[in-house]
Amino acid sequence: MSSFVFTALAFGVGADVSAQSCPEPSLTIGDLEGSLAHVRYLADDQLQGRAVGSDGARCAGDYIADRFRALGLQPAGDQGSYFQSFPIRKGAELGSDNRLVVGGTSYEVGTDWTPTGFSGSSGLEGRLVFGGHGLSSPGSPRDQDARIDIRDRVVVLEWGDPDAPHGGGLRGDPHFKATVAAGRDAAGVLLLAPAGMPLPALDAETRAMLGLPVGIVAGARAEALRAAAHAEAQVVLRTDVRESRVDARNVVALLPGSDPELRHEYVILGAHYDHLGFGGEGSLAPDGREIHNGADDNASGTAAMIEIARVMAEGQRPARSVLFLAFTGEERGLWGSAHFVADPTIDLDEAVAMLNLDMVGRVVDDAITIFGFGTAEEWNGIVDGANAALDRPFVVGKAPDGYGPSDHSSFYAAGIPVLHFFSNTHADYHRPTDDWPKINADGIDRVVALTAGVAQHVGNERRAEPLTAIQQEQPSPAAPSSSSSSSGYGPYLGSIPDMTPRDFGLRITGVREGSPAEDGGLRAGDVVVEFDGKEITDIYAYTYALRERKPGDEVVIVVEREGERITLNVTLGERR
C-alpha cells in the first residue's frame, strides 16, 4: 500500500541486480501450497523487494503470468501477451563530460565527487560561495543561510538538516536543497557529503532532473571544498547526466464469461505486486538499505488474486468476464493502475466493478476492513451475503471511501464502483521486517473465499446495470495518510492506527519502540478520543490534529482504556 508521503532518498549502493536470474519457484516454495506458496516466492530475498522496473519485479511478473497461464486464463495485455508495458524513469547515468576544478585543482569524478542523478547537464566557470545548510530557520542563528546572496554562484551546502534527527526529512533532502537554490538563482550546487558516506549511485534516482548542475563531494575533498567556498575560490563545473528508462509491466489475464450476451462486460480483480526494493523513498526504516520483501504489502494481495483466479477458473464461470490485473508501480504513486485506466486493454466503459486486494495477509481476530461501500448502493447486501456464506464469517469493518492510497482509487476516479479489501496496518508496514513467516495464510484463504463470492455475485447479476454507482467528491492531495508514523518532515508520534472504522475515536494497534507515543504512555488497544483539546472522531480528525502541531510540542491525549478515560502528556518528536 502506497504511503503517499515524501521521504528522503537514502543514498547508498544497493546490490547489483543487473545480472539477476529468476529463482526456480519449486526450489523456493518447497512443499508450501496455495496462497502461502505465492507469498513465499514473491517475498523471497532473491526478488530483492520487487521495486518497480527492477529485475526482481520482472521475476515477480513472470511468476504471476505463469500462474495465470497454468490456470488457462487468456492473455489480455499488449499484442496477445500477459503483459502491459509502459516506460518509467529508472535512474540516471553519467556521460563522458563531467568536470570539477576548484582553484586550479581537479577533482576526480567517481572518486572525489559525482553529479547527482537529478543534476542538469550544463557547464560554467565562476566563483564559489558557502551557503551553510541552505535552510530557512526563523528564530535560529542559522537563518542567515537563507539570506546569503548566491545569485550566479556555485553554492556549497552542508549535508542534511541540523534540526532533524539523523539530518533527514524534507528540508535536508539534496533534491529539495538544490531546488531551493535554483529558485534563489544559484548557478550550480555542490553538496558536502558527511564523513564516511560513499558517493551515491545514480541508478535508483527517479526524481525530476533540475535545470542547473548539482554535485556531491566526499572525503578529504569535501573539507578542501568547504575552505575554498569560504575563500570564494574560482570553480569550473561541468555535468553530463543522462536519464535512463526501462519498461515497467502490469500483468493482465482474462477469464471469459459464460454468457454470450454478458461476456463483453467485466468484473476487475486487482492487486499490486511491487514493493520498495532496498528501501529509500517510502520506507519507514530510512536509515538502512535492507531488502524490503513486502510479504503483506503486497505479496499477500497478489497471492489472494492468483487463488481467486484458480477458484473461479476451476468452478462455475460467472456470466460476465473477469479481468485479473497485477499492477506495478503502486508504491510510487499508483503508476500501473493509472496507466491501465488511461490506456486500457479492454473497453473500460464495460467494467461494472473493480475489487482491489492490498495487505490482506495479517488478519487478526476474524476482522477485515473493506473500503468502498459508498461507491454503489448494492455493496452492503452483496458483501453481507458473501460473508454469511463463509464457514467462518468475518467481522467486517465497512468504510464508504472510494478514494484511498491503493489502486482502486484509479478506477473509482474513472466512475467504476470499487471495493478495497484490507486486513489492517501493523508495525512491519514499509519495513524490512514485513516477511513471509508473519503471514496468516488461513486469513488470506478466507479473504479469497469472500472476494470470490462478491465477484461471482456481481458477475452473475442479470440486471442491465448490476451496480448503482455513487460518485464521491475526490479528496485533495493532502488527504491523511494511513499511518501517523509516516516518514517526512513534521511532527512524529509513532502510533500505529487501526484502520477499521469505529463509531467514535481512533483505536491504536500498537506504538513504535522508543517513540514519543511509547514514552508518553500510549498502548496498543487504546482508543484516542481527544488530541490537544480536539475531539477525535476518526483517523482524519486524528491526522489533521497531529499535523497542526510541530516537533517539540507537548500535547494532551485522552484515550479510552478498559472502560476508563486516561489523560496522557506526550511530547511530539520529529518525523524520521
Side-chain angles (χ1 to χ4, degrees):
M1 175 176 287
S2 176
S3 61
F4 274 70
V5 292
F6 185 99
T7 53
L9 181 66
F11 283 107
V13 180
D16 181 8
V17 298
S18 59
Q20 176 189 357
S21 59
C22 298
E24 170 58 42
S26 62
L27 299 178
T28 303
I29 291 169
D31 58 359
L32 297 176
E33 297 180 346
S35 59
L36 190 58
H38 306 314
V39 172
R40 176 68 184 87
Y41 182 86
L42 295 170
D44 190 82
D45 281 354
Q46 296 178 85
L47 269 63
Q48 298 180 335
R50 309 187 305 279
V52 59
S54 69
D55 283 350
R58 175 181 57 81
C59 292
D62 287 348
Y63 176 86
I64 297 163
D66 286 346
R67 303 286 81 72
F68 286 158
R69 185 182 295 108
L71 291 171
L73 272 61
Q74 297 179 2
D78 298 329
Q79 300 176 338
S81 76
Y82 286 97
F83 300 105
Q84 181 192 39
S85 299
F86 57 97
I88 63 168
R89 183 177 172 200
K90 182 62 176 176
E93 58 186 16
L94 295 182
S96 59
D97 189 12
N98 290 283
R99 188 179 181 207
L100 175 59
V101 182
V102 179
T105 300
S106 293
Y107 287 34
E108 185 177 349
V109 68
T111 303
D112 299 328
W113 81 290
T114 184
T116 66
F118 52 79
S119 172
S121 294
S122 61
L124 60 90
E125 295 185 23
R127 288 199 174 274
L128 298 172
V129 62
F130 184 71
H133 282 87
L135 302 173
S136 176
S137 303
S140 166
R142 288 187 296 269
D143 196 42
Q144 63 184 356
D145 293 353
R147 295 193 293 273
I148 297 171
D149 187 1
I150 63 174
R151 288 175 296 176
D152 302 322
R153 300 287 193 96
V154 176
V155 60
V156 176
L157 298 175
E158 299 285 358
W159 191 264
D161 178 358
D163 297 323
H166 318 297
L170 171 59
R171 298 196 323 159
D173 180 77
H175 190 276
F176 178 82
K177 288 191 176 190
T179 302
V180 171
R184 295 170 61 191
D185 297 322
V189 177
L190 292 172
L191 294 130
L192 301 169
M197 190 191 94
L199 291 171
L202 278 65
D203 57 358
E205 181 59 69
T206 59
R207 290 171 292 185
M209 301 181 81
L210 303 180
L212 77 172
V214 184
I216 298 174
V217 181
R221 291 297 193 190
E223 291 292 334
L225 180 62
R226 183 181 292 108
H230 280 293
E232 299 188 356
Q234 194 75 16
V235 62
V236 176
L237 176 60
R238 176 71 195 178
T239 52
D240 182 6
V241 180
R242 301 169 186 182
E243 185 178 76
S244 299
R245 301 188 74 81
V246 297
D247 278 343
R249 305 186 302 175
N250 292 327
V251 189
V252 195
L254 183 72
L255 179 68
S258 60
D259 189 300
E261 295 183 1
L262 293 178
R263 67 190 310 171
H264 68 281
E265 298 180 5
Y266 304 91
V267 178
I268 299 173
L269 273 112
H272 78 88
Y273 69 91
D274 64 299
H275 197 52
L276 300 178
F278 288 88
E281 186 174 355
S283 172
L284 291 178
D287 295 332
R289 294 289 286 166
E290 300 175 72
I291 296 174
H292 289 53
N293 280 322
D296 190 25
D297 187 13
N298 186 36
S300 68
T302 306
M305 179 185 62
I306 294 171
E307 285 300 292
I308 294 167
R310 180 189 60 78
V311 168
M312 300 190 80
E314 293 176 354
Q316 185 173 2
R317 294 191 179 188
R320 292 179 175 85
S321 296
V322 182
L323 188 75
F324 293 91
L325 272 168
F327 304 108
T328 192
E330 189 269 358
E331 298 289 0
R332 304 309 298 269
L334 313 187
W335 286 359
S337 56
H339 178 77
F340 186 88
V341 169
D343 188 20
T345 62
I346 61 167
D347 183 355
L348 210 57
D349 289 337
E350 299 296 340
V352 299
M354 191 272 177
L355 310 181
N356 187 52
L357 300 128
D358 194 347
M359 294 179 64
V360 296
R362 302 284 280 268
V363 173
V364 177
D365 295 334
D366 295 326
I368 188 170
T369 299
I370 304 177
F371 294 84
F373 279 88
T375 68
E377 293 180 1
E378 294 81 4
W379 280 140
N380 267 300
I382 292 173
V383 173
D384 287 349
N387 192 39
L390 302 180
D391 292 336
R392 293 158 53 208
F394 285 105
V395 177
V396 177
K398 298 180 179 180
D401 311 57
Y403 294 105
S406 192
D407 290 300
H408 61 289
S409 189
S410 298
F411 290 84
Y412 187 53
I416 299 169
V418 298
L419 289 178
H420 168 48
F421 296 77
F422 175 58
S423 65
N424 222 328
T425 53
H426 46 75
D428 301 305
Y429 170 70
H430 277 206
R431 292 176 181 266
T433 50
D434 181 10
D435 226 330
W436 76 270
K438 298 181 180 181
I439 291 298
N440 178 350
D442 175 70
I444 295 181
D445 292 342
R446 294 167 63 199
V447 171
V448 166
L450 175 62
T451 311
V454 172
Q456 196 79 27
H457 182 108
V458 177
N460 282 326
E461 174 58 56
R462 307 301 300 189
R463 291 185 302 148
E465 298 291 338
L467 296 172
T468 307
I470 302 170
Q471 197 61 35
Q472 302 167 358
E473 181 178 356
Q474 189 163 0
S476 68
S481 162
S482 63
S483 173
S484 72
S485 301
S486 299
S487 298
Y489 188 78
Y492 169 69
L493 182 58
S495 58
I496 303 170
D498 187 335
M499 299 293 287
T500 305
R502 300 177 54 85
D503 292 335
F504 187 83
L506 178 77
R507 183 178 179 272
I508 302 299
T509 64
V511 295
R512 302 199 185 280
E513 184 177 354
S515 68
E518 183 183 58
D519 293 343
L522 267 76
R523 301 178 188 171
D526 285 350
V527 177
V528 179
V529 295
E530 188 176 307
F531 187 102
D532 206 34
K534 297 183 181 297
E535 187 177 67
I536 301 303
T537 55
D538 54 22
I539 190 171
Y540 290 87
Y542 180 68
T543 305
Y544 293 144
L546 177 60
R547 286 181 175 177
E548 288 179 3
R549 311 308 302 173
K550 63 181 183 298
D553 283 352
E554 183 174 305
V555 297
V556 176
I557 300 177
V558 180
V559 302
E560 290 186 350
R561 181 185 297 165
E562 297 177 354
E564 297 183 10
R565 287 206 169 196
I566 299 172
T567 299
L568 304 170
N569 294 307
V570 180
T571 301
L572 300 176
E574 183 90 20
R575 288 189 189 270
R576 55 190 180 183

